[in-house]
Amino acid sequence: MKRLVPLLALLAAPVAAQEVSIPHTTFTLPNGLTVIVSEDHSTPIVAVNTWYHVGSGYERTGRTGFAHLFEHVMFEGSRNVPEGQFDNLLESAGGNNNGTTNNDRTAYYETLPSNGVELALWLEADRMGGLLDALNQQKLDAQRDVVKNERRQRVENQPYGTTFETAAPALYPAGHPYSWTTIGSMEDLTAASLDDVKTFFRTYYAPNNAVLSVVGDVNTADVRRMVERYFGGIPRGADVPRPAANAPAIAATRHIVKEDQVTLPELSLIWRTGPRFSRDEAALNALGQILTGGKSSRLYKRLVYDEQVAQNTNAFNDASMQSGDFWIQVRGKQTTHLDRMEAEVMEEIAKIAATPPSADELQRVVNGIQTSFVGNLETVLGKADQLNDYQYYAGDPGFAARDLARYTALTPADIQRVAREYLTGKNHIVLSYVPQGHPELAAGEKEAAR
């Protein structure tokens, strides 16, 4: 069994000799629940992290926002846990907990002193096996209102908060599960009936559609005994097929303008790439860092430092189970015309497509990715989440070494190739957010956002 190499040793070692892994044991209960246990006795804490393999990408038109709504409903009590006691019991034991939802999965996690691991497992098992025993219309309505308010706070009333919601239907055809965002629409949240929600739970919240990772100061045999005791009696559900919607190429380059309550104009350029762990994901991630990662990156240095026409820059490859999109964002100064930003961004991309970055430039980026990679594994919760991530997307919780090797093996020619293959001359979406009353700041031919 490999061990996690200490951070300093990893950073000091030659690239070719670096290797990192998370020691773990995996087993599956007869009802299909997969369990990953990783012992880490460095501190007396433990993380319990449960991933249900359902996110907004599993929803359908007219019923969006269910996966995220469930994230809230799951804390409202279950068969043996009265409403409000899930949090109270964990906090009384010195722990904390939360949940997150994205396109592909919903995660629930607890971090607490290691002597509380049995409490966390019992709580997770009780809501996996007994949520519907305690769910009623009143609880659903209350959490529906919470989610609607969250939508108002984070999407509708937040500057640039509708960026992803505006981009999604431009990037994907109507009906594609990535053509809407995780938060869902107000109309769909309002339309969700108690029966809809119960059906959703029965379909996706079954042990055979979940993976439980337990990391920290625990004994694997003890965890296995507790998991079998609390989860073993939960019946298996029907098999859940993975969504397999095609992600067609972007049909034409479009310039979309959104006038909003913002002070500074912001430009987003978005291209279609590939799904998680596809061949070029690592090179595209590195390309994003070359463009905007740190103050010496190409776009940040040019637009923010040298020319002082932008407030900030950001580039990232947003890869999910079915597809991926490469984003470049530039937030200008108050009177910046986004036409200029678009031209300068495209110029920098063309430079990389014509001439690969230097070996030193790439190495700087890879060093940063390595540091972030290891930093994510410094906590028990970080490791628990990473184990689940590898299990779901790579089909192997022990994927860490191969994941890191994707980056250390990159060459400047790889970065040049992905710039050519995915960005230069390819159709993409250009989204301009401009202050209300100033459409003249937008880039390109103007098309109002829906």
Side-chain angles (χ1 to χ4, degrees), residues 170-188:
L171 286 165
Y172 294 93
H176 191 285
Y178 290 172
S179 67
W180 54 79
T181 57
T182 302
I183 195 72
S185 72
M186 283 293 192
E187 293 77 13
D188 290 353

Side-chain angles (χ1 to χ4, degrees), residues 68-390:
H68 177 243
L69 177 60
F70 246 101
E71 181 196 318
H72 290 255
V73 170
M74 285 283 277
F75 291 93
E76 293 306 297
S78 49
R79 181 182 300 147
N80 299 297
V81 182
E83 186 176 0
Q85 288 304 301
F86 191 97
D87 291 338
N88 289 341
L89 288 167
L90 280 169
E91 289 170 5
S92 297
N96 60 73
N97 68 94
N98 212 331
T100 62
T101 309
N102 66 22
N103 288 342
D104 300 329
R105 61 93 183 116
T106 307
Y108 301 90
Y109 57 85
E110 297 85 32
T111 304
L112 70 169
S114 52
N115 61 5
V117 64
E118 189 161 8
L119 170 65
L121 292 172
W122 174 72
L123 288 167
E124 285 292 356
D126 201 68
R127 61 183 178 180
M128 179 187 287
L131 182 86
L132 294 187
D133 291 356
L135 182 61
N136 55 38
Q137 189 68 49
Q138 184 180 13
K139 289 181 180 178
L140 173 61
D141 291 343
Q143 291 312 304
R144 187 204 320 264
D145 288 343
V146 170
V147 171
K148 284 183 172 180
N149 197 45
E150 183 177 332
R151 180 185 161 82
R152 294 184 188 98
Q153 289 180 318
R154 297 186 178 183
V155 178
E156 294 165 1
N157 297 330
Q158 180 166 299
Y160 316 100
T162 55
T163 297
F164 289 96
E165 193 166 74
T166 304
L171 286 165
Y172 294 93
H176 191 285
Y178 290 172
S179 67
W180 54 79
T181 57
T182 302
I183 195 72
S185 72
M186 283 293 192
E187 293 77 13
D188 290 353
L189 290 169
T190 300
S193 70
L194 187 59
D195 283 343
D196 287 336
V197 173
K198 287 182 176 178
T199 299
F200 193 86
F201 180 84
R202 293 190 184 102
T203 302
Y204 297 112
Y205 279 71
N208 49 301
N209 198 43
V211 177
L212 170 70
S213 66
V214 181
V215 176
D217 186 25
V218 294
N219 176 278
T220 301
D222 290 342
V223 171
R224 181 164 192 153
R225 175 182 54 78
M226 289 185 275
V227 168
E228 289 173 343
R229 176 181 181 185
Y230 296 119
F231 290 86
I234 301 173
R236 182 187 184 93
D239 291 340
V240 178
R242 299 280 174 264
N246 292 326
I250 297 172
T253 295
R254 295 173 57 191
H255 286 76
I256 300 171
V257 180
K258 178 87 172 178
E259 291 186 50
D260 204 359
Q261 295 283 353
V262 298
T263 302
L264 304 176
E266 182 174 274
L267 179 72
S268 297
L269 300 99
I270 318 149
W271 291 261
R272 174 66 29 78
T273 58
R276 282 292 305 276
F277 295 121
S278 53
R279 182 192 66 158
D280 293 324
E281 185 194 15
L284 288 161
N285 289 341
L287 174 59
Q289 291 297 301
I290 286 171
L291 290 170
T292 67
K295 294 180 180 178
S296 61
S297 62
R298 295 192 179 201
L299 283 174
Y300 189 93
K301 183 177 184 303
R302 175 172 177 171
L303 301 178
V304 179
Y305 255 6
D306 295 344
E307 299 180 8
Q308 299 189 20
V309 293
Q311 196 76 11
N312 205 352
T313 61
N314 186 31
F316 57 94
N317 182 43
D318 183 21
S320 298
M321 177 177 289
Q322 303 180 59
S323 179
D325 301 298
F326 189 87
W327 287 65
I328 298 176
Q329 294 182 298
V330 178
R331 184 167 298 176
K333 296 290 182 71
Q334 198 158 12
T335 58
T336 297
H337 282 255
L338 297 180
D339 272 333
R340 174 179 176 179
M341 296 297 96
E342 181 186 17
E344 297 201 42
V345 167
M346 299 306 289
E347 194 173 295
E348 289 300 325
I349 293 171
K351 286 180 183 176
I352 295 176
T355 306
S358 68
D360 287 347
E361 187 177 16
L362 177 58
Q363 190 59 56
R364 174 187 66 79
V365 164
V366 172
N367 288 344
I369 290 171
Q370 285 178 306
T371 302
S372 176
F373 183 94
V374 177
N376 288 338
L377 305 182
E378 288 178 337
T379 67
V380 289
L381 181 58
K383 282 192 284 189
D385 205 53
Q386 194 63 70
L387 286 166
N388 254 324
D389 185 89
Y390 288 145

